[in-house]
Amino acid sequence: MKTLLLIVASTLLMAANVYAGDCTADAAKYCAGKTGAERMVCIRIQQRTGAMPMGQLSNKKCAEMIHSVVENIKKSCDPVKDRKGVCGDVKKGQGRIITCYYHNMDKITPQCKEAIKAAVSTVDASI
């Protein structure tokens, strides 16, 4: 299991270089002053606002990347242990669940934690 997690994390980190600079303008426009998971959630909200797949984002690769990292979090985090067990009282939408996971890194499953870390690293590298 650890090997699989390392492979997934490594793949996402390598992909981060592909997106270098793609979200710079959108992050500056919509998410100034936000860092880490807050910036990732902010960019996701902009991607989900308006016509999909780009929403209000100006860069298609940024929209693709943010969609990809969020989907990886959804696949990696356990719906019972992480979602219901740690963030069960959190209302879905506006990035609240991902924010809950981020603020409870010590309580979520290892695969969820790795997905959050990899997502934040990928987004940070795209700025």
Side-chain angles (χ1 to χ4, degrees):
M1 183 63 150
K2 275 188 172 180
T3 304
L4 178 61
L5 290 174
L6 290 173
I7 291 170
V8 169
S10 297
T11 302
L12 284 172
L13 289 173
M14 285 188 286
N17 294 333
V18 172
Y19 299 110
D22 290 337
C23 294
T24 303
D26 291 316
K29 182 176 181 179
Y30 299 113
C31 308
K34 297 186 185 310
T35 60
E38 287 182 345
R39 179 168 45 203
M40 176 179 62
V41 167
C42 176
I43 294 171
R44 173 64 169 183
I45 290 168
Q46 300 311 315
Q47 188 249 340
R48 300 279 304 198
T49 303
M52 293 298 284
M54 290 184 50
Q56 295 182 359
L57 299 180
S58 62
N59 187 300
K60 185 177 180 183
K61 284 179 75 176
C62 179
E64 290 169 355
M65 179 274 302
I66 202 71
H67 176 76
S68 175
V69 298
V70 169
E71 288 303 309
N72 186 59
I73 290 170
K74 289 178 182 178
K75 290 176 191 170
S76 299
C77 296
D78 188 281
V80 174
K81 293 177 183 174
D82 297 314
R83 174 67 178 104
K84 291 181 182 175
V86 178
C87 299
D89 61 338
V90 176
K91 185 179 175 185
K92 185 178 178 181
Q94 299 293 308
R96 288 185 282 265
I97 295 169
I98 291 174
T99 302
C100 176
Y101 291 157
Y102 185 74
H103 290 298
N104 290 285
M105 294 287 271
D106 59 328
K107 297 176 185 168
I108 58 177
T109 59
Q111 63 270 21
C112 186
K113 185 184 297 186
E114 288 304 315
I116 296 290
K117 287 180 184 178
V120 170
S121 294
T122 301
V123 172
D124 285 351
S126 74
I127 306 300

